[in-house]
Amino acid sequence: MSESLLGQSVRRKEDYRFLTGSGTYTDDVTVPGQLYAFFLRSPHAHARIRAIDTAAAKAAPGVVAVYVGTDLQGKVNGLPCGWLITGIDGQPMKEPVHPPLAQGKVRHVGDQVAMIVAESLNQAKDASELIEVDYEVLPACVDPAQARAPGAPLVHDDVPDNTCYVWGLGDKAATDAAFAQAAHVTTLEYINNRLIPNAIEPRAAVAQYHRGDDSYTLHVTSQNPHVERLLMTAFVLGLPEHKVRVIAPDVGGGFGSKIFLYAEETVLTWAAGQIKRPIKWTAERSESFLADAHGRDHVTKAELALDKHGKFLALRVHTTAGLGAYLSTFASSVPTILYATLLAGQYTTPNIYCEVTSVFTHTAPVDAYRGAGRPEATYVVERIVETAAREMKIDPAEIRRRNFITQFPYQTPVALCYDIGNYEGTLSEAMRVADVPGFEVRRKEAEARGKLRGLGYSAYIEACGLAPSNIAGALGARAGLYEAGEVRVHPTGKVTVFTGSHSHGQGHETTFAQVVAQRLGMSVEDIDVVHGDTGRIAFGMGTYGSRSIAVGGAAIVRALDKVVAKGKKIAAHLLEAAEGDIEFENGEFTVAGTDKKVPFAQVALTAYVPHNYPLDKLEPGLNEMAFYDPTNFTFPAGCHICEVEIDRATGETRIVNFTAVDDFGKIINPMIVEGQVHGGLTQGIGQALLEACVYDKESGQLITGSMMDYALPRADDVPNFKVSTQETPCTHNPLGVKGCGEAGAIGAPAAVINAITAALWPLGVRDIPMPATPQTVWRALQTAPKARSGRA
Amino acid sequence: MTTPLALKVNGNAVSVQVEPRTLLVQLLRETLRLTGTHVGCDTGQCGACTVHLDGRAVKSCTMLAVQAAGCEITTIEGVAAPSGDLHPMQAAFKEHHGLQCGFCTPGMVMNAIDLARSKADLSEAEVRGGLDGNLCRCTGYQNIVKAVLAGAAAMRS
């Protein structure tokens, strides 16, 4: 092959169906005889259910069944949590029961109280209004900072102080000792704002029971259908795993929120078996706001100790993390394993200690949302580093350079071992692209127009490619984190690839096809990639943590290795040569040093029509699969530089420049990678400037419960990003790749807030809360210590 | 209680009985099984349900089906040529990677076509402003804007 397909912006194979309205999303699936479900949800944040009267609803037109919590008792178990965290007291985390339909109490607004099943959706909704629930409303606590206060209402009676665990990582004594030696200590206290993921496709499910073989099919909006099936069958419903097929068809964005096993599809599947008819449920957007797992929700105090030259001596972090009312599937791991382990950032900080107190509140569950722990860690590190630089009057880029890790592999004091990186490389390239030397001129020009202009950095790192199963297991994971890939070569030489990764926008059907096409010397058109179906794919752990190419792609490469190895045996037979002399390149098996060759397609045909074939030594067929378990995490890293202009009169912040230089290792499809970065940056900017999940502190009502109240970024909220990549190939996976899906959301918030605080620093403002809305910034401007004197 | 309704959808005459409370998007998705038009919110914010009504982009979740009586509706399924060749705007979205998960895409394309028809020589700022009623959570809009500008230029040529 003259030119490598790896590194080419191949246009996406999946686009035609999406552009012509031919995709199949879960709500597009309609099954003959299908019923519709509607969930009656709690209007209260915390209440005891004295009684539920469903008689009128059951008698309403078209209603087939109404289920409440007591109907499920002894039949449907609670939803499990997939990660066990052990506290600093040596005790396992508290795991209160997470009933799919409320039992005795409701614990957040939107908690499922009843499921109504009817012939039509309108009938189900109409009937829901006939259900009478007698609530005894109780006081609620929605603020993680207040959850442990004396007298705070308990979310679960058997969880004292609302505390799931108090967990620590790092050497506390050494860290405290280092602080005692510090020439300077920078302290920041802030909230990492709670976010609502808002994939544009709402969650949905269609559950079918098949009487003929006592089996089930569940179509569901999932990022990991095999995990969904395993959790649902083995832990909740007690169904035989092989009797349930879970299909995650086209999925309209996930961002973490579709990783988890949710109550709705669980009850739906169980009810389909009871009623023996298919049932569909599709969330309304208000249900997405109330009942999808949310993200972030940290309250943090961070302290950085430095010597007089600006070298970091120690970092000490105390975080209280809100978990919501119940433990969602991976909730416990997000503010711990995926957070504190990243607190070294790109720096040689020798002593780090982090203590995390995770608490229950009367709010929707909180779990992984794009970045999951790593944006929170980056925010800690990059905000405090930039603040320390300003306090010590050291250039923010210079203070980073003085502390960069430059020798690899590098063992951090918080468990991870970085295999490779080039932080100076991404920083200096970002500074070049962002024209940092020209900033002062731009700032003065803006000042003349009455605008404040600031420039902020974020030199982030993330741990992706989740994860080595043995390490994850030692850290409490209750699952393996390998991936499966299967390469099925058909008799004509065409290929179908089956991957346990799931694409819900990431373009795997194209990227993975490029990997296979390159190896087998074929065209991407001759390769189809199948994902998202437990009935077709052997197994899979799914897509999250930027793991698809690094782990799922690696599994495909391992399967390709097996295909090529078997192909060589067949070719050796056909070419009457020794297997060791066979080479495979550009789609042809050749005998080294000769012109004897046989094309791949002929080897494939021979494997399926084995007339002239070593049947005594080799099985027919050419279909290979592999499981790949990574030996380490991957460590994508980079530098984001944000430049903002602030209107002094209105407090409005405009992003005037945003530069991202990322090191994702080897790149398969640059177009797709850039798209992933654009999207991640926009979600990060959303967190920094626009998005806030707000619960009323008294009533526990969700104030930001619709797209009219919760500000998602729109096209005119974001700039054109300057995005480029640098490359230090990952040292331990076969493609040298690191993953790119979350980087934007991880790096951007700190860059934006660093830019805003840079602009406001001369006025005496050292911090600004997220989201930095015009009102927030305007208030800061009004109360700024040096507001009247203008720029110092 | 149902009421009769006659309209044209993607060039075909349609005559159905609907409940008066049926939304246009429900008629399209559930009765006519044209599932390319999506529902992403209940409040008219996300624009995933955008279709053309007599040539203009409308949000089909915010109007009743009966309000479309006698009108001509075009959905995303009716945009490509009968041969299957993509409309220039669809082709531009593919060329410029203006879509990821694809869920907002039909609404984006329908709005973009209307936007392109409404004014020659759209500026980038006009495109960004014109997409205000369509939310995308995947792309960060940059490539959508690029696609709309390129698609609009292709539609003029």
Short mmCIF file of all heavy atoms in Angstrom, two decimals, chain A residues 326-374:
data_model
loop_
_atom_site.label_atom_id
_atom_site.label_comp_id
_atom_site.label_asym_id
_atom_site.label_seq_id
_atom_site.Cartn_x
_atom_site.Cartn_y
_atom_site.Cartn_z
N TYR A 326 -28.73 7.97 45.63
CA TYR A 326 -28.39 6.54 45.56
C TYR A 326 -27.04 6.41 44.86
O TYR A 326 -26.63 7.28 44.11
CB TYR A 326 -29.44 5.77 44.73
CG TYR A 326 -30.85 5.90 45.24
CD1 TYR A 326 -31.76 6.74 44.60
CD2 TYR A 326 -31.28 5.18 46.35
CE1 TYR A 326 -33.07 6.86 45.05
CE2 TYR A 326 -32.59 5.29 46.81
CZ TYR A 326 -33.48 6.13 46.16
OH TYR A 326 -34.77 6.25 46.61
N LEU A 327 -26.39 5.28 45.11
CA LEU A 327 -25.13 4.99 44.44
C LEU A 327 -25.43 4.51 43.03
O LEU A 327 -25.93 3.41 42.83
CB LEU A 327 -24.38 3.89 45.18
CG LEU A 327 -23.42 4.29 46.29
CD1 LEU A 327 -22.84 3.05 46.94
CD2 LEU A 327 -22.31 5.19 45.75
N SER A 328 -25.09 5.33 42.06
CA SER A 328 -25.20 4.91 40.66
C SER A 328 -24.05 3.95 40.35
O SER A 328 -23.16 3.72 41.16
CB SER A 328 -25.17 6.15 39.77
OG SER A 328 -25.16 5.80 38.41
N THR A 329 -24.06 3.38 39.14
CA THR A 329 -23.23 2.21 38.83
C THR A 329 -21.74 2.39 39.13
O THR A 329 -21.10 1.49 39.67
CB THR A 329 -23.41 1.83 37.34
OG1 THR A 329 -24.81 1.78 37.05
CG2 THR A 329 -22.79 0.48 37.04
N PHE A 330 -21.17 3.52 38.76
CA PHE A 330 -19.74 3.71 39.01
C PHE A 330 -19.47 4.95 39.86
O PHE A 330 -18.36 5.49 39.90
CB PHE A 330 -18.96 3.77 37.69
CG PHE A 330 -18.92 2.45 36.99
CD1 PHE A 330 -19.66 2.22 35.84
CD2 PHE A 330 -18.18 1.40 37.52
CE1 PHE A 330 -19.65 0.98 35.22
CE2 PHE A 330 -18.17 0.15 36.91
CZ PHE A 330 -18.90 -0.06 35.75
N ALA A 331 -20.52 5.41 40.57
CA ALA A 331 -20.46 6.67 41.29
C ALA A 331 -19.31 6.73 42.29
O ALA A 331 -18.63 7.76 42.40
CB ALA A 331 -21.77 6.89 42.03
N SER A 332 -19.07 5.64 42.97
CA SER A 332 -18.09 5.66 44.06
C SER A 332 -16.67 5.87 43.55
O SER A 332 -15.83 6.42 44.25
CB SER A 332 -18.17 4.36 44.84
OG SER A 332 -18.10 3.26 43.93
N SER A 333 -16.39 5.45 42.32
CA SER A 333 -15.03 5.52 41.80
C SER A 333 -14.68 6.90 41.25
O SER A 333 -13.50 7.26 41.15
CB SER A 333 -14.82 4.48 40.70
OG SER A 333 -15.63 4.78 39.57
N VAL A 334 -15.70 7.67 40.88
CA VAL A 334 -15.43 8.92 40.15
C VAL A 334 -14.70 9.96 41.02
O VAL A 334 -13.67 10.49 40.60
CB VAL A 334 -16.72 9.49 39.54
CG1 VAL A 334 -16.46 10.84 38.88
CG2 VAL A 334 -17.29 8.51 38.52
N PRO A 335 -15.18 10.25 42.25
CA PRO A 335 -14.47 11.27 43.03
C PRO A 335 -13.28 10.72 43.80
O PRO A 335 -12.69 11.42 44.62
CB PRO A 335 -15.56 11.76 44.00
CG PRO A 335 -16.49 10.62 44.14
CD PRO A 335 -16.42 9.79 42.89
N THR A 336 -12.90 9.47 43.54
CA THR A 336 -11.78 8.86 44.26
C THR A 336 -10.71 8.41 43.27
O THR A 336 -9.78 9.14 42.96
CB THR A 336 -12.28 7.65 45.08
OG1 THR A 336 -13.09 6.81 44.22
CG2 THR A 336 -13.11 8.11 46.26
N ILE A 337 -10.92 7.21 42.71
CA ILE A 337 -9.93 6.58 41.84
C ILE A 337 -9.67 7.42 40.58
O ILE A 337 -8.55 7.51 40.09
CB ILE A 337 -10.40 5.17 41.41
CG1 ILE A 337 -10.77 4.33 42.64
CG2 ILE A 337 -9.36 4.48 40.56
CD1 ILE A 337 -9.67 4.15 43.64
N LEU A 338 -10.72 8.01 40.04
CA LEU A 338 -10.57 8.77 38.80
C LEU A 338 -10.22 10.23 39.06
O LEU A 338 -10.08 11.02 38.13
CB LEU A 338 -11.84 8.67 37.95
CG LEU A 338 -12.15 7.27 37.43
CD1 LEU A 338 -13.51 7.24 36.73
CD2 LEU A 338 -11.07 6.79 36.47
N TYR A 339 -10.09 10.60 40.31
CA TYR A 339 -9.88 12.01 40.69
C TYR A 339 -8.52 12.19 41.37
O TYR A 339 -7.62 12.80 40.81
CB TYR A 339 -11.04 12.42 41.60
CG TYR A 339 -10.90 13.73 42.32
CD1 TYR A 339 -10.85 14.93 41.61
CD2 TYR A 339 -10.86 13.79 43.72
CE1 TYR A 339 -10.76 16.14 42.28
CE2 TYR A 339 -10.78 15.00 44.39
CZ TYR A 339 -10.72 16.17 43.67
OH TYR A 339 -10.64 17.38 44.33
N ALA A 340 -8.38 11.61 42.55
CA ALA A 340 -7.18 11.88 43.34
C ALA A 340 -5.91 11.37 42.67
O ALA A 340 -4.83 11.92 42.87
CB ALA A 340 -7.34 11.26 44.73
N THR A 341 -6.05 10.32 41.86
CA THR A 341 -4.87 9.77 41.18
C THR A 341 -4.31 10.72 40.12
O THR A 341 -3.20 10.51 39.64
CB THR A 341 -5.22 8.45 40.48
OG1 THR A 341 -6.33 8.69 39.61
CG2 THR A 341 -5.59 7.37 41.48
N LEU A 342 -5.07 11.76 39.77
CA LEU A 342 -4.61 12.68 38.72
C LEU A 342 -4.05 13.97 39.30
O LEU A 342 -3.76 14.92 38.55
CB LEU A 342 -5.77 13.01 37.78
CG LEU A 342 -5.99 12.06 36.60
CD1 LEU A 342 -4.73 11.97 35.74
CD2 LEU A 342 -6.42 10.68 37.03
N LEU A 343 -3.91 14.04 40.62
CA LEU A 343 -3.57 15.33 41.24
C LEU A 343 -2.10 15.70 41.08
O LEU A 343 -1.70 16.82 41.41
CB LEU A 343 -3.97 15.32 42.73
CG LEU A 343 -5.49 15.41 42.95
CD1 LEU A 343 -5.84 15.19 44.41
CD2 LEU A 343 -6.05 16.75 42.46
N ALA A 344 -1.27 14.79 40.58
CA ALA A 344 0.09 15.21 40.25
C ALA A 344 0.08 16.09 39.00
O ALA A 344 0.99 16.89 38.80
CB ALA A 344 0.99 13.99 40.04
N GLY A 345 -0.94 15.94 38.16
CA GLY A 345 -0.98 16.70 36.93
C GLY A 345 0.27 16.41 36.10
O GLY A 345 0.71 15.27 36.00
N GLN A 346 0.85 17.45 35.52
CA GLN A 346 2.06 17.29 34.71
C GLN A 346 3.32 17.60 35.52
O GLN A 346 4.39 17.80 34.95
CB GLN A 346 2.00 18.24 33.50
CG GLN A 346 0.81 18.00 32.58
CD GLN A 346 0.84 18.86 31.33
OE1 GLN A 346 1.68 19.76 31.20
NE2 GLN A 346 -0.07 18.60 30.40
N TYR A 347 3.20 17.58 36.84
CA TYR A 347 4.26 18.15 37.68
C TYR A 347 4.90 17.14 38.63
O TYR A 347 4.30 16.14 39.00
CB TYR A 347 3.68 19.33 38.48
CG TYR A 347 2.90 20.27 37.61
CD1 TYR A 347 1.51 20.37 37.75
CD2 TYR A 347 3.52 21.00 36.61
CE1 TYR A 347 0.78 21.21 36.92
CE2 TYR A 347 2.78 21.84 35.78
CZ TYR A 347 1.42 21.94 35.93
OH TYR A 347 0.70 22.75 35.11
N THR A 348 6.08 17.51 39.09
CA THR A 348 6.87 16.63 39.94
C THR A 348 6.57 16.83 41.42
O THR A 348 7.40 16.48 42.27
CB THR A 348 8.38 16.89 39.72
OG1 THR A 348 8.63 18.29 39.94
CG2 THR A 348 8.81 16.50 38.32
N THR A 349 5.43 17.39 41.75
CA THR A 349 5.05 17.60 43.15
C THR A 349 5.34 16.31 43.94
O THR A 349 4.70 15.28 43.70
CB THR A 349 3.54 17.93 43.24
OG1 THR A 349 3.20 18.87 42.24
CG2 THR A 349 3.19 18.45 44.63
N PRO A 350 6.28 16.36 44.89
CA PRO A 350 6.70 15.11 45.52
C PRO A 350 5.74 14.56 46.56
O PRO A 350 5.74 13.36 46.83
CB PRO A 350 8.05 15.47 46.15
CG PRO A 350 8.01 16.96 46.34
CD PRO A 350 7.12 17.51 45.28
N ASN A 351 4.95 15.44 47.15
CA ASN A 351 4.06 14.99 48.23
C ASN A 351 2.63 15.43 47.93
O ASN A 351 2.39 16.63 47.72
CB ASN A 351 4.50 15.60 49.57
CG ASN A 351 5.91 15.22 49.92
OD1 ASN A 351 6.21 14.08 50.25
ND2 ASN A 351 6.81 16.19 49.80
N ILE A 352 1.74 14.47 47.91
CA ILE A 352 0.34 14.79 47.64
C ILE A 352 -0.51 13.98 48.61
O ILE A 352 -0.28 12.78 48.82
CB ILE A 352 -0.06 14.45 46.18
CG1 ILE A 352 0.79 15.27 45.19
CG2 ILE A 352 -1.55 14.70 45.95
CD1 ILE A 352 0.58 14.90 43.73
N TYR A 353 -1.48 14.66 49.20
CA TYR A 353 -2.46 13.92 49.99
C TYR A 353 -3.84 14.46 49.64
O TYR A 353 -4.05 15.68 49.58
CB TYR A 353 -2.22 14.07 51.50
CG TYR A 353 -3.26 13.32 52.30
CD1 TYR A 353 -3.27 11.93 52.32
CD2 TYR A 353 -4.25 14.00 53.01
CE1 TYR A 353 -4.24 11.23 53.03
CE2 TYR A 353 -5.22 13.31 53.73
CZ TYR A 353 -5.22 11.92 53.74
OH TYR A 353 -6.18 11.24 54.42
N CYS A 354 -4.75 13.53 49.40
CA CYS A 354 -6.12 13.92 49.08
C CYS A 354 -7.09 13.11 49.93
O CYS A 354 -6.95 11.89 50.04
CB CYS A 354 -6.40 13.68 47.59
SG CYS A 354 -8.10 14.09 47.11
N GLU A 355 -8.03 13.80 50.52
CA GLU A 355 -9.05 13.12 51.32
C GLU A 355 -10.42 13.48 50.74
O GLU A 355 -10.70 14.66 50.51
CB GLU A 355 -8.94 13.57 52.78
CG GLU A 355 -9.66 12.65 53.74
CD GLU A 355 -9.29 12.99 55.19
OE1 GLU A 355 -8.12 12.78 55.57
OE2 GLU A 355 -10.19 13.46 55.91
N VAL A 356 -11.21 12.47 50.49
CA VAL A 356 -12.51 12.67 49.86
C VAL A 356 -13.61 12.11 50.75
O VAL A 356 -13.55 10.94 51.16
CB VAL A 356 -12.58 11.97 48.49
CG1 VAL A 356 -13.96 12.17 47.85
CG2 VAL A 356 -11.50 12.49 47.56
N THR A 357 -14.56 12.96 51.05
CA THR A 357 -15.73 12.54 51.81
C THR A 357 -16.92 12.54 50.85
O THR A 357 -17.28 13.60 50.33
CB THR A 357 -15.99 13.51 52.98
OG1 THR A 357 -14.82 13.57 53.79
CG2 THR A 357 -17.17 13.05 53.81
N SER A 358 -17.46 11.37 50.58
CA SER A 358 -18.58 11.30 49.64
C SER A 358 -19.88 11.14 50.41
O SER A 358 -19.98 10.30 51.30
CB SER A 358 -18.39 10.14 48.67
OG SER A 358 -17.36 10.45 47.75
N VAL A 359 -20.83 11.99 50.06
CA VAL A 359 -22.06 12.07 50.85
C VAL A 359 -23.31 11.89 49.98
O VAL A 359 -23.31 12.21 48.79
CB VAL A 359 -22.15 13.44 51.58
CG1 VAL A 359 -21.03 13.57 52.60
CG2 VAL A 359 -22.13 14.60 50.59
N PHE A 360 -24.33 11.37 50.62
CA PHE A 360 -25.63 11.28 49.96
C PHE A 360 -26.40 12.59 50.18
O PHE A 360 -26.30 13.20 51.25
CB PHE A 360 -26.43 10.11 50.53
CG PHE A 360 -25.84 8.76 50.20
CD1 PHE A 360 -25.13 8.03 51.16
CD2 PHE A 360 -25.97 8.24 48.92
CE1 PHE A 360 -24.58 6.80 50.85
CE2 PHE A 360 -25.41 7.01 48.60
CZ PHE A 360 -24.72 6.28 49.57
N THR A 361 -27.12 13.01 49.16
CA THR A 361 -28.00 14.17 49.27
C THR A 361 -29.33 13.82 48.60
O THR A 361 -29.42 12.83 47.87
CB THR A 361 -27.40 15.40 48.54
OG1 THR A 361 -27.18 15.07 47.16
CG2 THR A 361 -26.10 15.86 49.18
N HIS A 362 -30.33 14.62 48.84
CA HIS A 362 -31.65 14.36 48.26
C HIS A 362 -31.72 14.92 46.84
O HIS A 362 -32.49 15.83 46.54
CB HIS A 362 -32.75 14.97 49.14
CG HIS A 362 -32.90 14.26 50.45
ND1 HIS A 362 -32.41 14.75 51.63
CD2 HIS A 362 -33.47 13.06 50.76
CE1 HIS A 362 -32.68 13.91 52.61
NE2 HIS A 362 -33.33 12.87 52.11
N THR A 363 -30.86 14.37 45.99
CA THR A 363 -30.79 14.81 44.59
C THR A 363 -30.62 13.58 43.70
O THR A 363 -30.39 12.48 44.19
CB THR A 363 -29.57 15.74 44.38
OG1 THR A 363 -28.38 14.99 44.68
CG2 THR A 363 -29.63 16.96 45.28
N ALA A 364 -30.71 13.79 42.40
CA ALA A 364 -30.50 12.69 41.45
C ALA A 364 -29.10 12.11 41.66
O ALA A 364 -28.18 12.82 42.08
CB ALA A 364 -30.65 13.19 40.03
N PRO A 365 -28.91 10.82 41.39
CA PRO A 365 -27.57 10.24 41.52
C PRO A 365 -26.55 10.99 40.67
O PRO A 365 -26.87 11.55 39.62
CB PRO A 365 -27.77 8.81 41.01
CG PRO A 365 -29.22 8.51 41.28
CD PRO A 365 -29.93 9.82 41.04
N VAL A 366 -25.32 10.99 41.16
CA VAL A 366 -24.21 11.64 40.45
C VAL A 366 -23.23 10.54 40.05
O VAL A 366 -22.92 9.66 40.85
CB VAL A 366 -23.50 12.67 41.36
CG1 VAL A 366 -22.31 13.29 40.64
CG2 VAL A 366 -24.48 13.75 41.80
N ASP A 367 -22.76 10.57 38.82
CA ASP A 367 -21.84 9.54 38.36
C ASP A 367 -20.92 10.14 37.30
O ASP A 367 -20.78 11.36 37.22
CB ASP A 367 -22.63 8.32 37.84
CG ASP A 367 -21.86 7.01 37.94
OD1 ASP A 367 -20.64 7.02 37.71
OD2 ASP A 367 -22.49 5.97 38.22
N ALA A 368 -20.34 9.30 36.48
CA ALA A 368 -19.37 9.77 35.50
C ALA A 368 -20.03 10.65 34.44
O ALA A 368 -21.06 10.29 33.88
CB ALA A 368 -18.70 8.58 34.81
N TYR A 369 -19.45 11.80 34.21
CA TYR A 369 -19.84 12.67 33.10
C TYR A 369 -18.55 13.12 32.42
O TYR A 369 -17.58 13.45 33.10
CB TYR A 369 -20.65 13.87 33.61
CG TYR A 369 -20.81 14.98 32.59
CD1 TYR A 369 -21.49 14.75 31.40
CD2 TYR A 369 -20.26 16.23 32.80
CE1 TYR A 369 -21.61 15.76 30.45
CE2 TYR A 369 -20.38 17.24 31.86
CZ TYR A 369 -21.06 17.00 30.69
OH TYR A 369 -21.17 17.99 29.75
N ARG A 370 -18.51 13.12 31.14
CA ARG A 370 -17.33 13.37 30.30
C ARG A 370 -16.10 13.87 31.10
O ARG A 370 -16.08 15.00 31.55
CB ARG A 370 -17.66 14.36 29.18
CG ARG A 370 -16.66 14.29 28.02
CD ARG A 370 -17.14 15.07 26.83
NE ARG A 370 -16.37 14.75 25.62
CZ ARG A 370 -16.73 15.12 24.40
NH1 ARG A 370 -17.83 15.80 24.21
NH2 ARG A 370 -16.00 14.78 23.36
N GLY A 371 -15.15 13.00 31.23
CA GLY A 371 -13.96 13.31 32.01
C GLY A 371 -13.95 12.61 33.35
O GLY A 371 -12.95 12.05 33.76
N ALA A 372 -15.09 12.66 34.05
CA ALA A 372 -15.33 11.85 35.25
C ALA A 372 -14.17 11.86 36.24
O ALA A 372 -13.33 10.97 36.24
CB ALA A 372 -15.65 10.42 34.86
N GLY A 373 -14.10 12.84 37.09
CA GLY A 373 -13.04 12.91 38.09
C GLY A 373 -11.81 13.65 37.60
O GLY A 373 -11.20 14.43 38.33
N ARG A 374 -11.46 13.42 36.35
CA ARG A 374 -10.25 14.05 35.82
C ARG A 374 -10.43 15.54 35.53
O ARG A 374 -9.50 16.31 35.76
CB ARG A 374 -9.77 13.25 34.60
CG ARG A 374 -9.26 11.86 35.01
CD ARG A 374 -9.42 10.82 33.95
NE ARG A 374 -10.83 10.54 33.71
CZ ARG A 374 -11.28 9.79 32.72
NH1 ARG A 374 -10.42 9.24 31.88
NH2 ARG A 374 -12.55 9.58 32.57
#
